[in-house]
């Protein structure tokens, strides 16, 4: 029962993008299409789950004063592992996401969850929290990516819904990222209050 | 306190070292696979490849048995959002067979169209079958005969620039091959042929430029 | 001339915040007042320049020399974190007044992704350079400083807009973050006008 609650907490109640407004750089930078947004979300989820588990396991071994540097090392290690694995097995996605993969290290969501959840709970719950928050992030990025891709090019996941000429290209470009996210958060706020 | 941090860092470094040794080969394979796929795409039938470097550009010469079947050349230029890297295939006459974009960081929806714009048979877009030595392959704005991508002239120019340098590398290469084959089969005086060929190449390059 | 092109490119054309999406967190977080925006910008400029030089040297003389480039992310983030700590301590001793002004922003900088981002770009030599220029320490440092100026420009402009926004009559659903994001979108659109200049 508690397990389900932890997962749902990350997905809805504490959704990192729409509610906590964390991790904005990849949210805006990698969502020019739905598939890119989803890849970035899943990559971050992997790091979140792994770092959450390891940090909750070592939390009692680490002196309080060097807590944060130790967490950063753990996170950086998993990011590098992810980086090498992606370059080896999914080179196309690795190239599209580019700089944003190593930058998962400085994504406030990952360090934030380590500090706020993994450092206080056991490995099982920390893993679940990683899954919940990660999926919440992935959901938000995929939604934003799909919205931008649809408005910009008339496609979602490369499935054409209306001809490209009717799209407003600005949504695929930089300003569109800010504007689309702004409206998406406004809609989510409205729904949460209702 | 510092001991714990050092220990954790060392363990992390160790794990990364292990992962590196495991993934080093697949990463290399993924890179060559991409290059091979691009060569396959831009050239017609061949069963043997020879790679060397002309003007600092990799030139993959293709042979069907012993007959020269064309060459795939990698070239790059500075585009709108960063480096554009392409692979262009030429047939033995120097006509463009096909091209592949290996790397680009152009504006999505505009400059990224270089990936298939110049092979779409529409108006004067396509460069397939054209010869950079005979055709003026620059954008129509610059007096050339190729239609630039709408609202992405800089990306188009950069692409065609890379194409030119690929052709230059190919052309230099082509003359050299003729020189050696000609030398062994027909001409006893290799130095004369070589110097003639160098002159020829220079004058061709001068015309292109 | 080439260096001028690097600067114009990094400040206006490929602005780190408005077109590369790095450093969005401070951009949204500390942009409610022009004063704080200026303080944050100064701190970022300082750390970014130092971090770029140090990580570039580490990349060339440690990572590449010993063939351990896979430790890049790990080493860089540790160096940046340590550097921020060091700057904080030194500033406290040497110039208490400057520390007063910048102190609160320093801890926030470790997780500012434009520091690590620019450090990686410069170390790998994958930032955009004008034709015919080679990536080396000097161009890297010029690029880093120009990037920091671009960050400062975006942040201060945005803070100015948000100060005015307080007096605006905003639809209820858009209050707070949404209207800030829409404003940032318009600012990004204005910066798009620079595209193609370099």
């Amino acid at each position: 029962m508690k397990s389900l609650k932890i997962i749902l907490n990350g997905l809805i109640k504490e959704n990192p993008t729409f509610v906590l407004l964390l991790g904005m750089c990849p949210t805006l930078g990698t969502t020019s299409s739905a598939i890119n947004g989803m890849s970035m979300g899943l990559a971050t989820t992997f790091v979140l789950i792994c770092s959450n588990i390891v940090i909750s396991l070592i939390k009692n071994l680490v002196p309080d004063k060097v807590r944060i540097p130790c967490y950063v090392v753990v996170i950086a290690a998993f990011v590098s592992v992810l980086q090498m694995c992606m370059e080896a097995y999914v080179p196309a996605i690795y190239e599209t996401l580019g700089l944003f993969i190593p930058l998962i290290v400085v994504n406030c969501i990952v360090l934030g969850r380590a500090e706020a959840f993994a450092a206080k709970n056991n490995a099982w719950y920390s893993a679940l929290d990683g899954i919940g928050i990660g999926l919440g992030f992935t959901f938000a990025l995929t939604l934003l990516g799909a919205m931008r891709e649809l408005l910009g090019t008339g496609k979602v996941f490369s499935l054409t819904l209306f001809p490209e000429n009717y799209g407003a290209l600005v949504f695929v470009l930089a300003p569109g990222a800010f504007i689309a996210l702004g409206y998406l958060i406004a809609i989510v706020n409205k729904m949460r209050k209702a | 306190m510092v001991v714990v941090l050092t220990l954790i860092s060392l363990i992390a470094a160790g794990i990364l070292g292990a992962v590196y040794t495991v993934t080093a080969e697949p990463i290399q394979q993924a890179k060559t696979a991409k290059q091979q796929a691009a060569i396959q795409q831009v050239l017609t039938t061949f069963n043997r490849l020879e790679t060397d470097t002309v003007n600092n550009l990799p030139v993959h010469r293709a042979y069907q048995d012993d007959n020269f079947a064309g060459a795939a050349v990698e070239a790059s230029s500075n585009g709108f959002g960063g480096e554009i890297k392409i692979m262009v295939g030429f047939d033995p006459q120097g006509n463009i067979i096909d091209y592949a974009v290996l790397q680009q960081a152009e504006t999505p929806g505009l400059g990224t169209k270089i990936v298939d714009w110049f092979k779409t048979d529409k108006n004067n877009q396509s460069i397939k079958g054209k010869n950079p030595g005979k055709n003026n392959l620059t954008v129509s704005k610059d007096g050339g005969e190729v239609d630039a991508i709408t609202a992405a002239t800089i990306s188009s120019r950069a692409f065609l620039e890379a194409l030119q340098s690929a052709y230059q590398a190919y052309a230099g290469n082509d003359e050299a091959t003729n020189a050696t084959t000609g030398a062994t089969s027909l001409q006893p005086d290799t130095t004369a042929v070589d110097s003639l060929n160098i002159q020829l190449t220079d004058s061709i390059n001068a015309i292109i430029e | 001339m080439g260096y001028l092109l690097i600067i114009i490119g990094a400040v206006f054309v490929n602005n780190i915040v408005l077109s590369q999406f790095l450093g969005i967190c401070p951009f949204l977080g500390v942009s409610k007042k022009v004063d704080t925006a200026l303080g944050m910008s100064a701190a970022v400029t300082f750390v970014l320049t130092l971090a770029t030089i140090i990580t570039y040297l580490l990349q060339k003389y440690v990572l590449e020399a010993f063939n351990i480039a896979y430790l890049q992310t790990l080493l860089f983030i540790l160096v940046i974190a340590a550097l921020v700590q060091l700057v904080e301590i030194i500033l406290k001793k040497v110039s208490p007044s400057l520390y007063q002004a910048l102190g609160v922003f320093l801890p926030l900088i470790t997780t500012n992704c434009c520091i690590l981002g620019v450090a990686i770009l410069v170390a790998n030599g994958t930032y955009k350079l004008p034709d015919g220029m080679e990536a080396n320490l000097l161009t890297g440092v010029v690029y880093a400083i120009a990037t920091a100026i671009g960050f400062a420009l975006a942040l201060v402009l945005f803070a100015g807009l948000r100060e005015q926004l307080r007096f605006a009559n905003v639809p209820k659903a858009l209050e707070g973050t949404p209207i800030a994001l829409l404003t940032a979108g318009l600012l990004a659109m204005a910066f798009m006008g620079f595209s193609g200049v370099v």
Side-chain angles (χ1 to χ4, degrees):
Chain A
M1 195 54 223
K2 194 186 170 192
S3 314
L4 191 70
K5 218 170 150 189
I6 291 175
I7 292 187
L8 284 180
N9 175 52
L11 256 176
I12 299 159
K13 204 172 134 225
E14 282 190 31
N15 185 296
T17 308
F18 295 138
V19 182
L20 303 180
L21 302 173
L22 292 176
M24 283 295 143
C25 298
T27 306
L28 295 166
T30 63
T31 50
S32 58
S33 72
I35 190 80
N36 289 356
M38 198 168 85
S39 320
M40 188 65 213
L42 291 176
T44 313
T45 308
F46 167 81
V47 175
L48 253 174
I49 297 171
C50 295
S51 65
N52 259 6
I53 293 174
V54 170
I55 285 165
S56 80
L57 287 176
I58 62 163
K59 63 175 184 278
N60 294 326
L61 305 172
V62 180
D64 207 41
K65 270 195 172 166
V66 287
R67 189 177 82 243
I68 301 285
C70 289
Y71 296 169
V72 170
V73 171
V74 172
I75 295 166
F78 281 115
V79 169
S80 305
V81 168
L82 175 81
Q83 213 177 339
M84 286 186 267
C85 292
M86 285 184 80
E87 194 177 0
Y89 305 111
V90 280
I93 299 176
Y94 175 78
E95 263 176 43
T96 339
L97 298 182
L99 187 59
F100 284 100
I101 298 174
L103 288 183
I104 295 175
V105 180
V106 281
N107 187 325
C108 347
I109 299 173
V110 184
L111 191 61
R113 288 328 280 181
E115 176 79 353
F117 197 94
K120 296 182 192 124
N121 290 280
N122 66 25
W124 168 242
Y125 286 139
S126 301
L128 289 177
D129 180 67
I131 296 175
I133 294 280
L135 290 183
F137 188 58
T138 310
F139 169 70
L141 259 63
T142 315
L143 188 66
L144 182 61
M147 181 174 161
R148 288 179 63 191
E149 198 182 355
L150 178 70
L151 292 172
T153 64
K155 294 178 204 159
V156 174
F157 282 112
S158 305
L159 186 83
T160 308
L161 294 184
F162 59 81
E164 201 179 329
N165 295 348
Y166 294 101
L169 195 61
V170 72
F171 280 101
V172 187
L173 305 176
F178 289 105
I179 293 171
L181 183 64
Y183 277 115
L184 214 50
I185 291 177
I187 293 168
V188 171
N189 280 349
K190 192 94 188 162
M191 273 164 39
R192 270 155 44 88
K193 271 175 202 139
Chain B
M1 191 166 92
V2 181
V3 180
V4 178
L5 182 57
T6 321
L7 210 67
I8 291 180
S9 307
L10 283 180
I11 295 171
I15 293 171
L16 288 187
V19 175
Y20 173 74
T21 42
V22 175
T23 52
E25 216 190 301
I27 289 176
Q28 206 49 49
Q29 273 173 3
K31 274 183 189 152
T32 38
K34 193 181 168 194
Q35 197 190 37
Q36 289 301 323
I39 295 176
Q40 294 280 353
Q41 190 205 321
V42 300
L43 288 176
T44 43
T45 47
F46 64 93
N47 51 19
R48 192 160 58 84
L49 267 184
E50 271 174 29
T51 302
D52 62 352
T53 314
V54 183
N55 306 341
N56 286 326
L57 299 177
V59 176
H60 311 279
R61 277 179 283 162
Y63 295 90
Q64 176 70 32
D65 298 321
D66 275 333
N67 301 320
F68 183 53
V73 188
E74 287 172 46
S76 61
S77 65
N78 216 343
F80 188 74
E83 199 184 21
I84 296 177
K85 233 185 205 166
I86 57 171
M87 173 91 79
V88 195
F90 298 98
D91 70 7
Q93 284 76 44
N95 300 322
I96 297 163
I97 304 172
D98 200 354
Y99 73 88
V101 176
L102 301 175
Q103 184 197 317
Q104 52 94 4
E106 301 308 286
T107 317
L110 294 171
T112 45
K113 285 186 187 158
I114 54 169
V115 173
D116 48 28
W117 177 274
F118 298 104
K119 48 178 110 168
T120 312
D121 199 15
K122 195 176 154 195
N123 301 333
N124 291 323
Q125 277 177 225
S126 178
I127 55 163
K128 276 184 169 183
K130 293 197 174 163
N131 188 328
K134 293 173 194 146
N135 301 85
N136 181 4
L137 294 187
T138 50
V139 297
S140 34
K141 246 186 210 171
D142 300 341
E145 48 186 274
V146 185
D147 285 349
I149 301 166
T150 324
T153 316
I154 296 175
S155 304
S156 310
R157 273 192 194 128
F159 173 86
L160 293 170
E161 208 175 283
L163 184 80
Q164 283 297 347
S165 50
Y167 180 74
Q168 305 239 356
Y170 166 83
N173 175 38
D174 192 13
E175 296 301 318
T177 345
N178 283 347
T180 40
T181 47
T184 44
S185 57
L186 299 167
Q187 284 286 337
D189 189 2
T190 40
T191 43
V193 178
D194 272 352
S195 62
L196 186 71
N197 270 318
I198 290 165
Q199 279 172 6
L200 246 172
T201 321
D202 285 346
S203 51
I204 288 174
N205 285 346
I207 294 165
I208 294 166
E209 278 162 12
Chain C
M1 188 59 204
Y3 294 106
L4 190 67
L5 288 181
I6 298 181
I7 293 171
I8 294 173
V11 176
F12 297 108
V13 184
N14 296 309
N15 186 284
I16 189 90
V17 180
L18 296 169
S19 91
Q20 315 263 50
F21 300 118
L22 297 181
I24 300 284
C25 289
F27 179 69
L28 294 175
V30 287
S31 57
K32 290 206 172 106
K33 277 197 192 135
V34 174
D35 295 351
T36 47
L38 279 170
M40 185 69 185
S41 307
V44 166
T45 312
F46 194 56
V47 175
L48 184 59
T49 315
L50 267 182
T52 308
I53 298 172
I54 295 175
T55 51
Y56 181 87
L57 295 175
L58 279 174
Q59 171 83 10
K60 286 285 167 285
Y61 297 106
V62 178
L63 293 179
E64 281 174 15
F66 295 100
N67 218 356
I68 45 170
Y70 56 87
L71 291 179
Q72 191 190 52
T73 314
L74 187 64
L75 185 65
F76 280 16
I77 188 69
L78 274 180
V79 166
I80 291 169
L83 185 72
V84 171
Q85 286 281 318
L86 210 67
V87 167
E88 203 175 341
I89 295 168
I90 294 175
L91 224 54
K92 215 178 202 166
K93 286 254 164 67
V94 177
S95 165
S97 58
L98 197 61
Y99 177 77
Q100 282 253 298
L102 302 184
V104 276
F105 304 109
L106 282 172
L108 289 174
I109 285 180
T110 314
T111 52
N112 180 344
C113 51
C114 81
I115 310 277
L116 182 64
V118 170
I120 292 176
L121 281 177
V122 171
N124 292 350
T126 44
Y127 52 105
K128 204 185 168 210
L129 281 171
D131 284 322
M133 285 190 84
E134 291 246 348
N136 55 32
L137 184 57
L138 186 59
T139 54
V141 171
V142 172
Y143 174 76
I145 295 173
T147 302
I149 296 172
F151 176 81
L153 181 68
L155 193 62
V156 172
L157 279 178
F158 189 50
L161 286 174
R162 280 184 90 172
E163 278 190 355
Q164 297 299 311
L165 209 57
R166 270 182 305 169
F167 307 110
N169 197 0
V170 177
K172 197 135 193 84
L174 291 177
E175 269 172 13
T177 318
I179 193 71
L181 282 165
L182 294 187
T183 315
L186 293 178
L187 196 57
M189 225 181 264
F191 269 73
M192 262 183 76
F194 291 114
S195 49
V197 171
V198 173

